[in-house]
Amino acid sequence: MKVMAIIKRILHQFRRDKRSMALMIVAPLFILTLMWLVLDGDSYSPDIAVVDIPEPIIEILEGQEAEIHVMAMEEAEKALKDEELDAMLTWDEAGFKVLLEGSDPNANSAVQKVLQQTMKESSDKPVPQTKVEFLHGSENLNLFDNVGPVLIGFFVFFFVFIVGGVSFLRERTQGTLERLLATPLKRWEIVTGYLGGFGVFTVIQSIIIAAFSIYVLNIYMTGEFWYVMLITFLLAMAALSLGTLLSAYANNEFQMMQFIPLVIVPQVFFSGIFNLDTMQPWLRAIGKVMPLTYGGEALRDIMIRGEGIHGFLDEVYILIGFSVLFILLNILALKRHRKL
Amino acid sequence: MEAVIKVNDISHSFGKETVLKDIQLSVGKGEVFGLLGPSGSGKTTLVKIIVGILKPISGNAVVLEKTMPSLKQMKHIGFMAQSDALYSELSGRENLDFFASVYGLSKAERQQRIREVLEVLGLSDDIDKPVDKFSGGMKRRVSLAAALLHKPEILILDEPTVGIDPVLRKSIWEELNALKDEGTTIILTTHVMDEAEKCDQLALLRNGHVIAQGTPHSLKKDINAATIEEAFLHYGGVGQ
């Protein structure tokens, strides 16, 4: 079959082009590891200076997750200015007064959490205990566990988009596309050949990236491994078909790179890595046209919420829909090069 | 003589720019037909229309009694583009194997045809090196080899000998003549005037017009010119 010939050729090319292969596999692992190092830290323990605070309170404070420094007023103020402290705690008749350094929201909320806990423990009246349970996840779920699933999807999408788009573009610039169009190959055979060749490769890529995140980086994962594979594969297909489609509108590799800020970067913002609940609804709707929104959501459903296929079936259909749409447009776009 | 390729009143333009105007040609079976013209004269466009990659705005090209573009007829055409159109990461042999399988040749057929073609073109030595290590002349020959794999009845070559040393050029011409003797019809474009002398029929192209057509001998004789270059200047001057 002629499609097989193209698939075989693409795999041959991959075998020769070690760098592109590395870009698709090693680069995502490398960046995921960096993200993990940054986001997977323990919860932040703030530096708090206490000025004229009664001894019993200091004792309670010291039991919290914070570094407590007993200081004089002037010393504390200076340290706060020099960013050595996150907060300064003083005491007068009216009660506690907190001065936050204030430039880091993470530190701010950590300080407030410490103070709340201290208040609770220092009051004589027994406070009704709130029992916290988790429907999904656990109290150990950190930022990396939360954004990790979307990041896995994102890196698969990003690197497949680039490598797929550029290879198809080179097919045009080195004249081989025209050469292929001078053969009895049908346009759909060329497009499917590409999807097939890269498809084989992206399956391998997906396995490696997902396995690395789950078993090496220990990202939170309660769902089925092969569901993760399914979604990353579908995302890769959407990325590949979009990349090859857009490559028709680029004249060289540099112009292909110009699609990154237009197509890839907005997906970072709108696909759910950041919480969009406070955004204007019409702005939030931008995310609805982006494959990564659905891929990311499905990956979270699987990895954090442990859902079965019915929990993310809609996303699967939508991702397939994206790919089919891009593939059809791609076959149409090739008409620019050969009418038949 | 039976016409294998007929070009009927073809005009083509890219946007506002007219590239071909009212082209009429007829190529007989087993002929070596040369399209001679400077760069920008429309040779490549005309060749792409005959191959079936481009569809002209008006007129048509008929190949083996079928109007192009037709996927069925593409099987009977071997095309060598102006650029080498090879996959630079792959070895020469892998390139040939790929193009052969695109034409649907079986594995045994592919191996046999690749061996034959390599032998004819004197390529056997370095064929397993990656193409990006090849010299320009090597690439040109592999590119020609790729066009011959499926034994096409019609061979269309866009500037086949550009940048090739004289010894190699001679051997390519010997090969083309051998193919011709087997009944292959060959269309080639060139801007090298003395190469045009080797064709059976010539069409002189200038600014998208055919300014003269005939055998090299008759083109020269009609106007008492000693060389094709002189003839080209003469017909080009008349055209203005």
Side-chain angles (χ1 to χ4, degrees):
Chain A
M1 211 170 111
K2 292 169 190 166
V3 177
M4 271 310 290
I6 300 179
I7 294 177
K8 223 174 95 187
R9 192 208 80 214
I10 290 174
L11 293 177
H12 264 304
Q13 280 177 296
F14 260 123
R15 224 181 51 206
R16 291 289 152 73
D17 187 2
K18 298 270 188 321
R19 251 179 88 154
S20 301
M21 196 143 90
L23 182 73
M24 282 177 75
I25 291 177
V26 181
L29 298 189
F30 175 64
I31 301 177
L32 271 169
T33 310
L34 288 183
M35 295 296 264
W36 172 72
L37 289 173
V38 172
L39 299 179
D40 198 48
D42 292 326
S43 54
Y44 182 69
S45 94
D47 286 283
I48 303 174
V50 288
V51 181
D52 300 333
I53 302 287
E55 196 59 38
I57 304 276
I58 294 182
E59 263 168 38
I60 298 172
L61 273 170
E62 276 171 347
Q64 307 300 323
E65 228 177 284
E67 298 292 320
I68 305 299
H69 311 273
V70 182
M71 284 181 176
M73 189 68 168
E74 271 167 40
E75 193 192 356
E77 276 174 344
K78 186 174 179 303
L80 199 60
K81 270 195 191 126
D82 293 344
E83 294 164 42
E84 283 159 18
L85 293 174
D86 295 306
M88 176 176 108
L89 195 59
T90 49
W91 170 267
D92 60 20
E93 297 80 49
F96 285 118
K97 213 176 111 194
V98 190
L99 184 60
L100 290 169
E101 198 275 327
S103 59
D104 180 358
N106 252 338
N108 295 349
S109 58
V111 171
Q112 277 162 353
K113 211 172 132 198
V114 168
L115 292 180
Q116 270 171 17
Q117 194 62 32
T118 311
M119 292 301 132
K120 217 157 63 183
E121 286 177 28
S122 62
S123 89
D124 303 330
K125 284 171 271 170
V127 187
Q129 282 288 314
T130 318
K131 195 164 183 286
V132 181
E133 284 178 352
F134 291 83
L135 177 59
H136 301 297
S138 76
E139 57 193 334
N140 293 325
L141 199 74
N142 62 25
L143 191 54
F144 184 69
D145 293 318
N146 179 275
V147 298
V150 188
L151 286 178
I152 292 175
F154 172 72
F155 290 124
V156 168
F157 193 94
F158 178 70
F159 290 106
V160 173
F161 177 86
I162 290 299
V163 176
V166 170
S167 337
F168 205 66
L169 175 85
R170 284 188 52 205
E171 192 95 46
R172 224 173 71 227
T173 52
Q174 72 191 358
T176 43
L177 179 65
E178 187 173 77
R179 184 70 186 71
L180 289 183
L181 290 172
T183 72
L185 268 182
K186 298 185 179 72
R187 279 178 286 131
W188 70 262
E189 287 175 322
I190 297 178
V191 175
T192 7
Y194 249 78
L195 291 175
F198 274 82
V200 172
F201 193 76
T202 54
V203 168
I204 302 170
Q205 183 206 29
S206 302
I207 293 177
I208 295 175
I209 294 178
F212 181 79
S213 317
I214 294 166
Y215 301 115
V216 179
L217 299 183
N218 259 322
I219 191 171
Y220 189 85
M221 164 77 173
T222 58
E224 296 274 345
F225 186 78
W226 82 269
Y227 286 154
V228 175
M229 294 282 318
L230 173 71
I231 299 295
T232 48
F233 175 71
L234 290 177
L235 263 177
M237 285 291 108
L240 177 63
S241 47
L242 181 62
T244 50
L245 172 64
L246 290 181
S247 76
Y249 303 96
N251 292 325
N252 50 49
E253 278 89 343
F254 181 52
Q255 288 191 352
M256 193 63 210
M257 295 303 147
Q258 291 164 4
F259 283 118
I260 296 175
L262 290 174
V263 176
I264 302 292
V265 176
Q267 298 208 66
V268 177
F269 296 114
F270 288 93
S271 66
I273 292 180
F274 301 104
N275 192 324
L276 300 181
D277 290 343
T278 54
M279 200 183 257
Q280 293 283 337
W282 65 270
L283 264 176
R284 237 185 295 161
I286 297 175
K288 296 259 187 268
V289 298
M290 299 178 171
L292 195 56
T293 308
Y294 302 95
E297 185 54 32
L299 285 172
R300 271 191 180 142
D301 278 344
I302 298 161
M303 297 179 66
I304 302 178
R305 305 188 187 107
E307 295 198 20
I309 187 89
H310 294 290
F312 56 88
L313 204 53
D314 287 347
E315 279 85 3
V316 168
Y317 289 139
I318 292 170
L319 284 176
I320 294 173
F322 271 118
S323 299
V324 171
L325 176 73
F326 296 146
I327 291 166
L328 292 178
L329 288 174
N330 214 330
I331 295 173
L332 216 63
L334 277 181
K335 261 200 156 172
R336 295 208 317 184
H337 302 288
R338 187 180 75 189
K339 290 281 178 283
L340 206 66
Chain B
M1 200 195 282
E2 163 196 9
V4 180
I5 296 164
K6 277 184 88 77
V7 168
N8 302 316
D9 286 322
I10 281 183
S11 296
H12 194 70
S13 54
F14 295 119
K16 278 188 184 143
E17 192 194 350
T18 305
V19 194
L20 292 175
K21 193 90 189 104
D22 301 326
I23 307 283
Q24 292 269 17
L25 297 173
S26 171
V27 182
K29 185 166 169 53
E31 260 178 9
V32 177
F33 192 101
L35 292 168
L36 176 68
S39 54
S41 58
K43 300 180 304 262
T44 297
T45 309
L46 181 56
V47 154
K48 282 185 188 171
I49 289 171
I50 298 172
V51 172
I53 300 173
L54 281 179
K55 201 172 185 294
I57 286 176
S58 67
N60 60 30
V62 178
V63 172
L64 300 170
E65 292 169 352
K66 221 166 171 280
T67 307
M68 296 303 284
S70 146
L71 288 181
K72 209 171 142 249
Q73 298 314 79
M74 284 180 173
K75 268 185 218 147
H76 305 294
I77 302 176
F79 175 55
M80 175 183 174
Q82 206 167 358
S83 64
D84 288 314
L86 298 168
Y87 297 95
S88 55
E89 308 92 336
L90 301 185
S91 72
R93 190 186 299 279
E94 284 165 335
N95 268 285
L96 294 179
D97 190 66
F98 170 65
F99 284 112
S101 49
V102 159
Y103 282 101
L105 269 62
S106 73
K107 191 166 182 187
E109 283 174 314
R110 293 203 299 267
Q111 283 175 346
Q112 196 203 336
R113 278 303 289 159
I114 290 173
R115 205 179 322 120
E116 287 170 11
V117 167
L118 289 180
E119 201 165 308
V120 166
L121 292 176
L123 272 169
S124 306
D125 288 346
D126 296 318
I127 197 65
D128 289 308
K129 278 198 212 158
V131 166
D132 52 12
K133 300 265 190 317
F134 282 15
S135 66
M138 276 283 279
K139 285 186 197 165
R140 222 60 208 124
R141 278 188 289 169
V142 175
S143 202
L144 176 61
L148 299 176
L149 289 166
H150 60 295
K151 290 192 177 167
E153 290 169 56
I154 297 166
L155 200 54
I156 298 181
L157 313 170
D158 199 358
E159 303 267 7
T161 55
V162 81
I164 282 188
D165 81 82
V167 180
L168 200 54
R169 183 184 300 184
K170 188 162 169 282
S171 81
I172 285 184
W173 269 101
E174 278 164 10
E175 168 61 8
L176 292 184
N177 282 323
L179 285 165
K180 176 196 148 159
D181 293 340
E182 288 168 24
T184 310
T185 308
I186 300 169
I187 296 186
L188 60 91
T189 73
T190 179
H191 63 264
V192 186
M193 301 288 170
D194 65 336
E195 197 165 81
E197 306 257 14
K198 300 190 175 103
C199 302
D200 300 322
Q201 287 283 324
L202 265 185
L204 309 189
L205 241 74
R206 189 161 181 270
N207 293 333
H209 293 269
V210 173
I211 52 175
Q213 205 177 328
T215 63
H217 181 71
S218 69
L219 284 173
K220 284 185 290 186
K221 204 180 133 212
D222 289 354
I223 55 155
N224 282 322
T227 61
I228 289 288
E229 180 141 12
E230 230 174 277
F232 197 98
L233 287 170
H234 175 85
Y235 291 112
V238 171
Q240 273 173 350

